[in-house]
Amino acid sequence: DPAKGPVGQLTFSHDCYVKIWQLGKPVISADYILIDESQDLAPVMLDVLKQQKALLILVGDEAQQIYEWRGAVNAMSEEVWPDAKRLYLSQSFRFGPAIADVANQILEKVGTPLRLKGLASIPSRVEPCADPTAVLCRTNAAAVGTLLRSAAEGKRPHLVGGGSDVISFVEGAKALQQGRGCGHPELACFQSWTEVQEYAKLDEGEDLKLLVKLIDSFGC
């Protein structure tokens, strides 16, 4: 009732407009529709695709699905398209045959039919490197250990992504060493650094072992 004045304003997010569009049974006038990153497709978009008459081409990598936690679905699965024709993109333009050969050994072990082809024009080789310019690590602790050892050798290393998690752990360790309490989630249950050192020697303390060793070796 305008006579009573405004009572509020209704606003729509981008997601709301997409949902309204989907409920309207849209028809995409095209001969074919190409969808990239199909391993992480919103259900509303998948429904829109299923309504279409055009040829659908879905591209993606099921091993790189990362948004399932927020409701995305793997639109490439056989459950979604049981009768779809499936083709592998095997030609790489990022590395040569030598790297493809190593990758194919791994692919064979994990039991996938995919095999890669390296680009012959890219010179590649797989061999030990005495002085690498980049080092890949599986854990933050291993990355920091590599960083500290490189610095001790007179190099100027850089930690990609920063080391905030490790810094927080070290600050907690320093507090325990000084006899103060510590609120770090992995250290809060300990009363002293000695307790942490003893815990790291046990099987259940394996996750802390490398960080404890680094702190004992290099200091906080």
Side-chain angles (χ1 to χ4, degrees), residues 99-140:
I99 294 177
D101 290 343
V102 175
N104 286 332
Q105 294 177 30
I106 298 172
L107 291 171
E108 183 177 2
K109 286 184 178 295
V110 299
T112 176
L114 172 63
R115 294 295 181 269
L116 297 176
K117 298 178 182 178
L119 195 62
S121 61
I122 300 179
S124 300
R125 63 183 189 273
V126 179
E127 60 186 25
C129 182
D131 189 23
T133 57
V135 179
L136 302 180
C137 302
R138 297 185 58 148
T139 65
N140 287 335

Side-chain angles (χ1 to χ4, degrees), residues 3-42:
K4 296 181 180 179
V7 294
Q9 182 178 359
L10 182 64
T11 59
F12 291 96
S13 68
H14 175 267
D15 290 342
C16 289
Y17 283 115
V18 173
K19 184 63 179 179
I20 293 172
W21 177 61
Q22 173 229 356
L23 294 175
K25 304 297 181 182
V27 176
I28 301 175
S29 299
D31 295 325
Y32 64 89
I33 301 171
L34 178 65
I35 305 294
D36 196 12
E37 302 292 351
S38 300
Q39 76 277 359
D40 275 314
L41 200 62

Side-chain angles (χ1 to χ4, degrees), residues 140 143 147 158-163:
N140 287 335
L147 182 109
H158 170 72
L159 184 63
V160 175

Side-chain angles (χ1 to χ4, degrees), residues 68-81:
E68 186 178 12
W69 60 272
R70 69 177 189 188
V73 296
N74 174 20
M76 304 172 65
S77 70
E78 293 185 0
E79 295 179 359
V80 177
W81 309 103

